[in-house]
Amino acid sequence: MSASSAIPRGLALLRDPLLNKGIAFSLAERDALGLRGLLPPHVMTLEQQADRFMKNLRGLSGDLDKFVALNALRDRNETLFLRVVCDNIDEIQPLIYTPTVGLACQKFGDIWQRPRGLYISAGDRGHIAEVLANWPHAARLIVVTDGERILGLGDLGASGMGIPVGKLSLYAACAGVHPALCLPVMLDVGTNNPDLLKDKNYIGLRQNRLRGGEYDDFLEEFMSAAQQAFPGVLIQFEDFANHNAFRLLHRYREQACVFNDDIQGTAAVALAGVFSALRVTGGKLNDQKLLFLGAGEAATGIADLVVAAMVAQGASETDARRRIWLMDSRGLVVWARNDLAEHKLGYAHDHPPVGDFLSAIRELRPTAIIGVSAVGGTFTPEVLKTMAELNDRPIVFALSNPTSKAECSAEEAYRHTGGTALFACGSPYDPVTFDSRIFVPRQGNNSYIFPGVGLGAIASGATRITDEMFMAAARTLADLVTDADRAQGSLYPALPRIREVSCRIAVEVAKVAYQRGVSTGRQPDDVLERVRSQMFEPVYHSYLPA
Ligand code: NAI
């Protein structure tokens, strides 16, 4: 972590998580900074601290306890927290993000210890600029939610704050965005979740959600105050309900540096999975037929980016849309229905209604099924067997999370397709042994994409986030999958390579920003060097004068 010119002394230093090193302060630093006696006499290294923490963490039995322990570590010492996350990303990402973060949000009021980020509530209307002024750092990156659709768990109100906090931890760990640049924001506009409204430990406003003009005015006040407080800040919308997510994205994407990870980040990671699967089959994107189970933010986001990619490969938009079918809770998305929300209209087909997924597969004969319905077990054995009958190598993505909402498990996907499925998941699964082969399913996690996109945007001073950037991110991610990955059925690179992945994505995103004129700077000779120079390593620096 970079040292600031004004290092606090004594207890104030030990209580500043951005600067604290705990027992790793050297004796000379302890003398110079008024720390003598405030720490036990032994001096440890960062590595020893990390080992000790991991040993303690592994001694805890429940994932929620581990989540709490990791949060408490971050509140004490961000450098050590990030060191631990970076060095054990496979083990810790599921604890600080999905699936554990879902459980943590459901119990947020019970486990809440210290505030992190900003809570801006309906009661702050007219004063949002003052609330933002209370934030002590110059934010470059905001992740904001109103908590109405947390993962597949629905309206969790202010308890949804776990999501922006978790996402920003991944920005810092996976892409090296300095934590002081990251600001999690909860827009508490109330909740319509009756259980929360009754819960005595709930931390949010006890009122129903603002709606209509009141909600829009509140969002508008936040958006303009945030851009004034932090000029050029990148704002990531996170876990807004469908009826606001699409509107907000469309309203702000042409006037501010914003994106919606549920729509666009998901799209890029799924498209990368499709590119990766096609490298196994040798098939062409424009020959695929995709059937989505789910027609919400994830589904339409992925569909839009797949269409854009098909068009980039020479298809007409009409032909591309013909290859994409959505199914929601009421059946196949077809014109014959009169209940279609606006975001689904672009994928409505001239086809008789079909109520169930298996019949849709039999009629449409898709090459890929993509589960983003947040309904567990919907890729039944029959669904999987039918996909394997129709395709030599069916593409099966069960992206819903947390794990209880997954359309099928990895084991089910391989077993019911005779080991032929090209499988990606939204939840983490252990390797599967089937037919004497070991398959290593990898999570199509947005964390492969958004940290790199954010880093690239920050490094290039991007003023807008475009679909072309997400397409570049998807292509880059798929290119980083190795032959060895593919041989074991993995459609994504190994997670421990995430910082290299994010760096490579950031370079491509920055190039798009420079070349399309959506950047405040000029393209440097060495974009890679520019990006690398912005990535911090979680290591301790000496606070003594050189
Ligand atoms: P959403 O709430 O916007 O959409 C859910 C859709 O599923 C709706 O269109 C709904 O009508 C449909 N649906 C509900 N029940 C159904 C049923 N029985 N059959 C068919 N369709 C049904 O949610 P969103 O954002 O699209 O996310 C969906 C799921 O995908 C969530 O579990 C989320 O956590 C997961 N997700 C995973 C990601 C990843 O792994 N990279 C990224 C983003 C989302």
Side-chain angles (χ1 to χ4, degrees), residues 18-73:
L18 285 171
L19 297 172
N20 183 28
K21 307 185 200 177
I23 201 171
F25 278 109
S26 69
L27 295 178
E29 283 175 318
R30 295 176 189 201
D31 278 340
L33 296 163
L35 296 172
R36 249 193 200 244
L38 298 181
L39 291 162
H42 180 63
V43 177
M44 276 191 187
T45 62
L46 178 60
E47 290 66 33
Q48 287 169 329
Q49 288 179 299
D51 281 352
R52 185 188 50 174
F53 178 82
M54 286 307 296
K55 190 161 167 261
N56 290 336
L57 189 76
R58 288 172 184 144
L60 298 173
S61 51
D63 286 350
L64 198 57
D65 291 338
K66 294 182 183 183
F67 176 92
V68 170
L70 282 155
N71 267 307
L73 174 65

Side-chain angles (χ1 to χ4, degrees), residues 253-336:
R253 66 184 300 172
E254 303 301 336
Q255 33 169 300
C257 188
V258 301
F259 73 97
N260 180 310
D261 188 53
D262 308 302
I263 300 173
Q264 296 161 288
T266 305
V269 81
L271 178 62
V274 173
F275 282 147
S276 197
L278 295 180
R279 284 179 69 185
V280 177
T281 63
K284 293 205 181 87
L285 181 66
N286 289 358
D287 295 335
Q288 305 307 306
K289 188 185 270 186
L290 278 64
L291 172 59
F292 289 78
L293 187 69
E297 289 168 47
T300 40
I302 299 168
D304 287 350
L305 201 65
V306 171
V307 167
M310 285 178 165
V311 169
Q313 295 192 6
S316 72
E317 188 170 330
T318 313
D319 283 347
R321 284 179 187 276
R322 268 197 205 119
R323 300 194 154 273
I324 294 182
W325 294 73
L326 309 182
M327 178 136 199
D328 66 15
S329 54
R330 295 186 186 154
L332 205 58
V333 171
V334 291
W335 283 119

Side-chain angles (χ1 to χ4, degrees), residues 435-512:
D435 211 9
S436 327
R437 278 187 69 194
I438 297 176
F439 294 87
V440 181
R442 292 223 172 105
Q443 210 179 334
N445 197 307
N446 298 26
S447 67
Y448 280 117
I449 297 286
F450 69 80
V453 171
L455 176 64
I458 291 174
S460 60
T463 53
R464 298 287 181 275
I465 303 293
T466 65
D467 278 346
E468 194 182 354
M469 294 177 183
F470 284 102
M471 240 188 301
R475 226 173 269 121
T476 307
L477 179 58
D479 286 348
L480 289 167
V481 180
T482 63
D483 289 342
D485 289 326
R486 281 187 288 275
Q488 59 182 19
S490 304
L491 298 182
Y492 297 100
L495 208 47
R497 292 177 63 204
I498 189 66
R499 284 172 79 96
E500 175 202 350
V501 167
S502 298
C503 177
R504 293 274 299 272
I505 288 176
V507 168
E508 298 310 315
V509 166
K511 283 184 187 164
V512 174

Side-chain angles (χ1 to χ4, degrees), residues 90-110:
D90 270 326
E91 184 176 349
I92 293 196
Q93 179 166 300
L95 295 171
I96 59 170
Y97 203 63
T98 53
T100 310
V101 73
L103 184 59
C105 287
Q106 287 173 304
K107 308 227 178 234
F108 208 66
D110 301 334

Side-chain angles (χ1 to χ4, degrees), residues 291 327 332 351 353-366 383 386 390:
L291 172 59
M327 178 136 199
L332 205 58
H351 191 279
V354 180
D356 75 284
F357 194 52
L358 186 58
S359 307
I361 291 177
R362 291 201 172 116
E363 282 192 34
L364 301 173
R365 306 172 70 84
V383 160
T386 308
L390 295 171

Side-chain angles (χ1 to χ4, degrees), residues 98 149-153 239-242 246 261-263 265-267 269-270 292-300 327-331 343-344 371-375 378 398-402 405 407 425-427 443-447:
T98 53
R149 200 243 46 187
I150 294 300
L151 307 174
L153 301 168
D239 284 4
F240 284 78
N242 281 191
F246 292 102
D261 188 53
D262 308 302
I263 300 173
T266 305
V269 81
F292 289 78
L293 187 69
E297 289 168 47
T300 40
M327 178 136 199
D328 66 15
S329 54
R330 295 186 186 154
H343 64 270
K344 302 177 192 175
V372 272
S373 61
V375 184
T378 34
L399 295 180
S400 289
N401 57 44
K405 311 273 183 185
E407 285 78 11
C425 38
S427 303
Q443 210 179 334
N445 197 307
N446 298 26
S447 67

